[in-house]
């Protein structure tokens, strides 16, 4: 469906939980995590109904996210049901990877097409520092499990944080020489716990190109500008919501785990889908698409959303 700004909206990011087994410092507070009751969250049936409604309006790609989507009970069954929706071309999932050793094979078998695995550092002590709870070993085991299960085109999401992991840019780019992965450097967005971090933490993507002048441009994919080291097996993607706002090309809508449709990650506007069925659900999704905000305002101010990233779905 075409939105009010002429953009073809064909991509739904569907959050299945706001719970997480990590507490990444830029994403979630350490304590005081607000736990919504089960009744406030979309059931598996409601998640499927939302997905079907969106596909009926022209969505062809769904990404499951969270919180940590693999913590959602019934995730494999949900994937199986979503994969059976006619006209859905791609079912993807973004995960911190920690539960992939148990779940990679069942997810693949349920029809998940692609995985993005988040990994902000290759140094064990830093990994535990940034996630507050995870270990690098878990993440590496998760990556290995994804490969063993037959997932190809793996993408690694790395949030660039000045003073934390900018000295690892070359190490991450080096991974693409050996592995057919796409390492995607994502600019840190000022929202939730990191909204007031020192401005030196917010590095522009040019930091990657400066550190690695051998990178050569290759065709873009979605909102990522892409590069490759000549002869490398994989590629490097730059996702730059801060320095190159890509709002004019944004084809996404989002639905939170508590059933709010958001046209933009950074806007306050939400449409409640909970309790809606049939044509009412479809109409609400249509409204959300029609009124998708034209752009975010991160170049002028912090994110307008009062939610933390885990409560929306990155
Ligand atoms: N738990 C899963 C994971 O970490 O991959 C999925 C949800 S997480 C919210 C999705 C992505 O959002 C992760 O790659 C995370 O690094 C990214 N993210 C969270 N907060 C962010 C922020 N303030 N700026 C940029 N990316 C952020
Ligand atoms: Fe959890 Fe993902 Fe947020 Fe980290 S980025 S706290 S893994 S939801």
């Amino acid at each position: 469906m075409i939105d009010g700004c002429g953009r073809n909206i064909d991509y739904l990011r569907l959050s299945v939980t706001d719970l997480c087994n990590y507490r990444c410092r830029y994403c979630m507070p350490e304590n005081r995590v607000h736990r919504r009751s089960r009744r406030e969250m979309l059931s598996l049936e409601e998640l499927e109904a939302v997905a079907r409604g969106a596909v009926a309006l022209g969505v062809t790609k769904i990404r499951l996210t969270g919180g940590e989507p693999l913590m959602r009970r019934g995730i494999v069954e949900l994937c199986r049901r979503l994969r059976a929706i006619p006209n859905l071309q791609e079912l993807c999932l973004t995960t911190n990877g920690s539960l992939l050793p148990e779940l990679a094979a069942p997810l693949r078998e349920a029809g998940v097409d692609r995985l993005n695995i988040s990994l902000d550092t290759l140094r064990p002590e830093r990994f535990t520092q940034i996630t507050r709870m995870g270990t690098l070993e878990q993440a590496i085991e998760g990556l290995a499990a994804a490969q063993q299960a037959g997932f190809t085109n793996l993408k690694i999401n790395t949030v660039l944080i000045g003073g934390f992991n900018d000295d690892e840019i070359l190490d991450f780019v080096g991974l693409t020489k050996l592995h057919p992965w796409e390492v995607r450097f994502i600019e840190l967005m000022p929202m939730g716990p990191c909204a007031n971090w020192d401005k030196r933490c917010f590095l522009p993507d040019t930091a990657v190109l400066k550190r690695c002048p051998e990178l050569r441009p290759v065709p873009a994919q979605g909102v990522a500008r892409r590069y490759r080291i000549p002869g490398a097996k994989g590629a490097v993607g730059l996702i730059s919501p801060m320095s190159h706002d890509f709002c004019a090309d944004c084809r996404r809508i989002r639905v939170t785990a508590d059933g709010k449709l958001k046209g933009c990650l950074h806007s306050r506007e939400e449409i409640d889908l909970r309790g809606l069925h049939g044509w009412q659900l479809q109409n609400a999704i249509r409204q959300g698409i029609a009124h998708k905000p034209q752009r975010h305002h991160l170049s002028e101010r912090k994110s307008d959303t009062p939610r933390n990233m885990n409560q929306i779905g990155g």
Side-chain angles (χ1 to χ4, degrees):
M1 181 180 155
I2 306 295
D3 76 356
C5 302
R7 296 168 294 198
N8 181 22
I9 307 304
D10 59 4
Y11 181 7
L12 167 66
R13 291 202 171 204
L14 182 58
S15 174
V16 297
T17 181
D18 50 16
L19 300 178
C20 189
N21 52 349
Y22 289 177
R23 294 283 182 277
C24 299
R25 287 172 189 272
Y26 48 78
C27 178
M28 284 180 82
E30 180 169 18
N31 304 308
R32 296 175 286 103
V33 176
H34 174 64
R35 268 187 98 107
R36 293 179 208 275
S37 72
R38 272 215 10 227
R39 273 185 300 115
E40 287 178 274
M41 312 305 275
L42 294 182
S43 64
L44 294 189
E45 289 69 29
E46 289 170 318
L47 287 164
E48 182 184 351
V50 167
R52 285 187 180 272
V55 171
L57 290 171
V59 162
T60 56
K61 171 174 171 181
I62 295 179
R63 173 175 302 282
L64 299 181
T65 179
E68 175 46 46
L70 302 190
M71 289 194 55
R72 174 72 197 237
R73 202 172 289 163
I75 184 70
V76 174
E77 175 57 20
L78 177 68
C79 290
R80 200 184 318 280
R81 290 195 208 170
L82 299 192
R83 203 65 201 87
I85 299 175
N87 298 328
L88 180 67
Q89 288 168 14
E90 220 186 349
L91 179 63
C92 311
L93 192 143
T94 299
T95 172
N96 63 29
S98 59
L99 300 175
L100 284 174
E102 299 95 272
L103 287 173
L107 289 169
R108 184 80 191 126
E109 184 267 322
V112 174
D113 296 297
R114 272 199 313 100
L115 294 178
N116 283 26
I117 299 178
S118 300
L119 183 60
D120 296 331
T121 172
L122 299 170
R123 311 221 181 145
E125 65 293 354
R126 284 188 186 176
F127 189 94
T128 302
Q129 184 196 345
I130 195 80
T131 61
R132 291 195 179 105
M133 309 193 165
T135 65
L136 179 63
E137 203 182 347
Q138 283 174 314
I140 303 289
E141 284 171 5
L143 253 169
Q147 285 185 295
Q148 261 167 27
F151 283 103
T152 51
N153 299 325
L154 283 177
K155 292 188 177 155
I156 312 281
N157 284 358
T158 304
V159 178
L160 256 185
I161 307 171
F164 172 71
N165 61 3
D166 49 329
D167 58 347
E168 295 186 58
I169 290 174
L170 286 181
D171 299 340
F172 275 105
V173 172
L175 289 178
T176 70
K177 292 185 187 164
L178 303 175
H179 304 282
W181 304 336
E182 180 166 320
V183 172
R184 304 188 126 195
F185 292 101
I186 303 172
E187 287 177 351
L188 180 68
M189 295 178 277
M191 55 192 296
C194 68
N196 293 316
W197 282 10
D198 190 289
K199 61 180 187 314
R200 281 172 296 194
C201 297
F202 296 85
L203 281 186
D205 61 7
T206 44
V208 175
L209 300 175
K210 262 194 211 144
R211 295 279 163 90
C212 205
E214 312 92 287
L215 285 170
R216 295 284 167 267
V218 294
Q221 214 176 58
V223 296
R225 287 172 298 124
R226 295 170 73 242
Y227 300 82
R228 194 183 290 275
I229 300 264
K233 291 189 175 163
V236 171
L238 302 182
I239 311 224
S240 320
M242 305 290 291
S243 62
H244 291 77
D245 102 40
F246 42 69
C247 303
D249 298 321
C250 180
R251 304 163 80 105
R252 308 165 179 182
I253 50 169
R254 297 168 191 266
V255 174
T256 63
D258 58 336
K260 306 289 190 294
L261 187 148
K262 290 178 72 71
C264 174
L265 176 59
H266 298 293
S267 108
R268 281 183 170 270
E269 288 152 40
E270 301 182 341
I271 295 181
D272 196 357
L273 303 181
R274 269 178 58 229
L276 302 182
H277 305 279
W279 64 266
Q280 284 183 324
L281 176 60
Q282 192 107 340
N283 261 350
I285 300 174
R286 193 178 277 120
Q287 285 295 316
I289 295 177
H291 295 113
K292 178 175 162 71
Q294 187 180 14
R295 55 182 287 255
H296 65 61
H297 299 277
L298 293 181
S299 54
E300 297 127 47
R301 55 179 190 263
K302 290 168 202 146
S303 181
D304 293 331
T305 180
R307 289 175 179 256
N308 294 332
M309 191 66 127
N310 69 300
Q311 299 167 319
I312 305 175

